Amino acid sequence: MTVLWYMSRATGIVALVLLTAVFVLGIAVRGKTRLPGLPRFATADLHRNVSLLAVVFIAIHVLTAVLDSYVRIPLLAAIVPFTSGYERLWLGLGAVALDLMLAMIVTSLLRGRLNRVLWRAIHLTAYLCWPVALVHSVFSSDDLRQVPLIFIGIASVVLIIAAVAWRVVHAARQVRGADRVTALLDQPQDHAREPERAAR
Amino acid sequence: MNIVVNPIACAGHGACAELVPELIELDEWGYPVIDPHDVPAGLERQVRKAVSSCPALALSVRERQRTS
Amino acid sequence: MNGARTQPVSAAGGAARQAAGLPRLLPHGQGHARQPVAYRGADLIEAIGRSGLTGRGGAAFPVHRKLAAVKRCTMVIANGAESEPLSRKDATLLRLAPYLVQDGLHLVAEAVGAREVRLYTNEDGFLGGQETAVLNKVTGGPALPTFTPPRPAERGYLIHNVETLAHIALIARYGADWFRGAGTETEPGTMLTTIVTAGGTAVRETDIGTPLAGLAGLGDADLDKAQAVLIGGYHGTWLPTAVARHLTLDNAALRRHGASLGAGVIAVLPGDVCGLREAARVTRYLAAESAGQCGPCLNGLPRIANAMGDLTRGQQSGTRDIERWLGLVAGRGACHHPDGTARFVRGALDVFAAEVSLHAHGRCSAESRKPFLPTGSRP
């Protein structure tokens, strides 16, 4: 086993953790959440910066795997799913996840020029991307199925489930558009207090 | 340069008001109240950062052509 | 400028032409068909420019400038949506002289090189006739306003009120000088007005600049019994009768009192209804008609409406909040719905201030609670 092989496995695990963070931060942005101790704009900034950091780690993860002589993995297999000889299925899923990530990042960088609906549709594939990345991580090597790294895997899954649950509840409670107007009409209003700035 | 908000896209995230508090305040419902005057030269960079930081892409600038 | 030159729409087809022999939009529409079109294409656009015609949909935008703004026109749309509940002029025009509208529509399309035309009517609520809402609906979306820029003209869609197109059809036949023979120097031409009084609703064509009091169908008796006049529909301005009775119907005069013609709706509130209740009911309607797309509007308008309702019940605790909200909503939506609603409410609070006080003491000046201003869907 070469150093490169170990590096690939290590950066892969870090990338998974970073992707978990990106996902949770993305939900936080959508929910207009202010992270404790940080200004509001930091939520979106963090989400963007951590996603770029994740790409860097994935780049190293892929290159070290390709350069390593332990097994033969063509570079193209990182982008074109299911074309590697070694562990075709599990690595292929990694390529799928990477493709989705790249689509999300590229469309986000070009967001001003793109149709809003298209951007949103591609960004929604995040819900597919993370589980695919997880399956790739768990089955490409033993690492995440053994102590102690299994705890990282479990913790990530728990965080994602919590974030998705929060998002679903938030969506259910949210009244949209004209319905919001109807909901406000005929409500009793308390005029006694001074309005708080930006009360939610 | 003037700051322009697309009120339909704006969801009241409030990042803009934090980045350019000199020109943008939030009303009692969390939506930006924007100073309509020209952006002073010293704040132009902050304004551009606010534009790129808006999670809803609701903020933009309108460059005013100055005729001499 | 001559005195009141008006033609009631309801007159039979044989009614005498106006003394000066000038043709009118209604009811002699059929006669115009025999008049050949003298101005087409670039000549027509130039004639429209010289005529000084402004849009009759409410915004009074110079028509010539709109025609010049469109680069490559995909479609010309005749906007007959008339979503203002008080207004009847577009429906009347389409009923009595539809071919004038059609003519204007085709002449404009020919002049700007558009290949498609459309006559647009809708049942889509108060905002359905707004220009960007019309474009949204025509291009497959909901009938809701969109953010501008780009304006419809910049996107290749020309949208004109049906009355504007009817005037264009006449300018194409009789020329700019003829058009300028009516109205005032700065606001030439005639306009269709909808007059709503205790006696009913009537549509009249009149010179711009006609004295309000002299408008046919609006005798002094009506004004004497009135408590206030609403000019410009539900986005318009309330004026005390004492002020309104001396006004002429042109924007130059109205602007001095903070009012404008809008789409030519004039409602005279009878003395025996409660102005505050009427205004509160209309405010609630306007709030309910919000598209709910913009934070300030969807938050502010229902709260303002609730507070107006409170005022009718004698609770004045929200008065300061109303003032703050009126300031917060104006100009902060994608369309002018919040601005117009704020204008309506502010005017009502001024003109019906005495009524507000009465209600605070548990009384009301009105004998009848029968609603006067319409807020339902039209039959």
Side-chain angles (χ1 to χ4, degrees):
Chain A
M1 303 267 181
T2 67
V3 168
L4 289 173
W5 191 237
Y6 277 109
M7 270 186 74
S8 183
R9 286 155 63 184
T11 50
I13 291 170
V14 174
L16 181 68
V17 172
L18 289 173
L19 280 179
T20 306
V22 173
F23 190 99
V24 172
L25 284 167
I27 303 259
V29 171
R30 183 68 179 81
K32 295 191 269 186
T33 311
R34 187 205 190 120
L35 298 168
L38 290 175
R40 277 205 193 89
F41 68 81
T43 315
D45 268 11
L46 258 182
H47 171 69
R48 180 188 307 148
N49 293 336
V50 175
S51 75
L52 296 175
L53 188 63
V55 171
V56 170
F57 270 87
I58 291 176
I60 300 173
H61 169 68
V62 165
L63 284 172
T64 48
V66 167
L67 289 172
D68 169 73
S69 52
Y70 184 61
V71 289
R72 262 206 70 217
I73 300 174
L75 180 58
L76 213 56
I79 314 242
V80 183
F82 314 119
T83 53
S84 73
Y86 172 73
E87 292 285 11
R88 175 165 306 201
L89 174 61
W90 307 125
L91 256 62
L93 288 179
V96 169
L98 178 58
D99 288 344
L100 291 175
M101 262 193 75
L102 288 174
M104 280 187 270
I105 289 181
V106 166
T107 51
S108 291
L109 289 172
L110 296 173
R111 204 170 161 191
R113 276 167 262 253
L114 276 180
N115 183 306
R116 240 170 244 278
V117 175
L118 177 67
W119 177 87
R120 185 122 201 275
I122 294 195
H123 228 75
L124 279 175
T125 64
Y127 288 93
L128 177 66
C129 177
W130 194 88
V132 169
L134 177 72
V135 173
H136 161 78
S137 310
V138 167
F139 291 106
S140 295
S141 82
D142 278 358
D143 294 337
L144 279 174
R145 283 175 271 158
Q146 293 171 353
V147 194
L149 293 175
I150 192 170
F151 295 117
I152 291 187
I154 292 173
S156 301
V157 172
V158 168
L159 278 172
I160 295 293
I161 291 178
V164 172
W166 187 92
R167 176 80 182 90
V168 169
V169 168
H170 186 253
R173 271 197 314 191
Q174 188 136 88
V175 188
R176 317 230 81 194
D179 293 334
R180 179 88 199 278
V181 172
T182 316
L184 279 170
L185 271 175
D186 303 325
Q187 289 309 308
Q189 296 180 159
D190 177 8
H191 298 284
R193 302 181 336 230
E194 274 298 309
E196 300 161 29
R197 274 300 187 186
R200 299 217 195 257
Chain B
M1 174 204 289
N2 297 87
I3 306 173
V4 175
V5 65
N6 177 342
I8 297 180
C10 176
H13 282 90
C16 57
E18 270 175 354
L19 288 167
V20 196
E22 299 89 341
L23 300 174
I24 304 179
E25 279 193 335
L26 294 181
D27 67 19
E28 65 204 68
W29 307 304
Y31 294 91
V33 184
I34 303 202
D35 186 324
H37 301 104
D38 281 358
V39 174
L43 289 173
E44 276 188 26
R45 241 186 92 218
Q46 265 164 274
V47 168
R48 288 194 200 282
K49 168 103 173 89
V51 168
S52 62
S53 295
C54 174
L57 264 197
L59 211 63
S60 61
V61 287
R62 185 176 53 228
E63 311 277 357
R64 198 77 72 80
Q65 282 104 343
R66 303 202 130 267
T67 49
S68 46
Chain C
M1 194 210 66
N2 300 347
R5 296 197 291 181
T6 61
Q7 284 284 351
V9 158
S10 44
R17 279 195 169 200
Q18 200 275 339
L22 292 174
R24 291 273 175 239
L25 280 177
L26 313 160
H28 300 289
Q30 295 303 322
H32 299 306
R34 286 181 236 114
Q35 182 79 13
V37 170
Y39 302 89
R40 301 190 101 104
D43 289 338
L44 175 59
I45 297 183
E46 199 250 347
I48 291 172
R50 276 186 302 116
S51 73
L53 174 69
T54 56
R56 295 291 193 256
F61 198 74
V63 176
H64 181 249
R65 272 187 25 209
K66 214 178 194 178
L67 292 175
V70 67
K71 297 288 176 284
R72 271 180 331 197
C73 190
T74 311
M75 186 190 294
V76 183
I77 300 171
N79 189 355
E82 193 157 50
S83 29
E84 164 74 57
L86 283 170
S87 181
R88 285 278 189 283
K89 70 170 180 84
D90 292 339
T92 305
L93 178 65
L94 286 172
R95 194 166 42 88
L96 294 183
Y99 85 95
L100 270 186
V101 175
Q102 241 185 328
D103 239 22
L105 184 58
H106 286 278
L107 284 167
V108 168
E110 179 191 58
V112 300
R115 270 186 303 161
E116 264 197 87
V117 297
R118 190 140 341 163
L119 171 62
Y120 182 84
T121 56
N122 90 65
E123 302 291 323
D124 289 312
F126 189 75
L127 296 181
Q130 203 265 357
E131 204 181 51
T132 59
V134 169
L135 178 55
N136 203 349
K137 184 95 188 266
V138 163
T139 52
L144 296 176
T146 58
F147 179 60
T148 55
R151 301 200 165 280
E154 293 164 304
R155 292 173 56 189
Y157 291 84
L158 263 185
I159 300 173
H160 287 292
N161 178 262
V162 290
E163 186 194 334
T164 309
L165 291 170
H167 285 291
I168 289 176
L170 292 178
I171 291 172
R173 287 170 166 79
Y174 303 107
D177 292 333
W178 164 83
F179 184 78
R180 296 192 74 92
T184 71
E185 191 56 44
T186 46
E187 296 168 63
T190 61
M191 63 182 287
L192 293 178
T193 62
T194 310
I195 322 254
V196 182
T197 64
T201 301
V203 173
R204 302 263 184 275
E205 180 178 4
T206 184
D207 278 41
I208 297 183
T210 298
L212 174 66
L215 197 60
L218 200 67
D220 265 337
D222 281 314
L223 279 181
D224 276 345
K225 282 185 274 173
Q227 57 178 302
V229 177
L230 176 66
I231 299 187
Y234 289 164
H235 278 180
T237 310
W238 286 101
L239 293 174
T241 315
V243 172
R245 71 194 318 154
H246 300 300
L247 288 178
T248 52
L249 283 175
D250 55 288
N251 283 323
L254 291 174
R255 228 174 274 133
R256 279 184 242 123
H257 297 275
S260 72
L261 284 169
V265 176
I266 295 154
V268 181
L269 201 69
D272 62 349
V273 308
C274 177
L276 178 60
R277 273 194 218 287
E278 289 293 311
R281 197 163 47 76
V282 170
T283 306
R284 195 187 183 289
Y285 163 77
L286 291 171
E289 289 294 305
S290 164
Q293 299 184 121
C294 304
C297 180
L298 77 87
N299 278 288
L301 262 52
R303 287 178 167 90
I304 292 169
N306 290 342
M308 289 286 281
D310 286 345
L311 285 179
T312 65
R313 290 181 283 275
Q315 298 158 33
Q316 296 209 304
S317 54
T319 312
R320 250 189 356 159
D321 283 335
I322 295 185
E323 276 310 314
R324 185 179 71 252
W325 290 330
L326 290 175
L328 271 182
V329 301
R332 292 180 65 221
C335 72
H336 293 298
H337 186 57
D339 320 0
T341 303
R343 181 183 309 122
F344 177 88
V345 171
R346 192 170 268 120
L349 290 175
D350 280 342
V351 167
F352 302 120
E355 191 69 45
V356 172
S357 294
L358 269 182
H359 280 244
H361 292 97
R363 303 205 302 273
C364 175
S365 70
E367 296 119 40
S368 126
R369 276 233 202 172
K370 191 155 167 269
F372 178 74
L373 296 171
T375 53
S377 44
R378 239 177 307 205

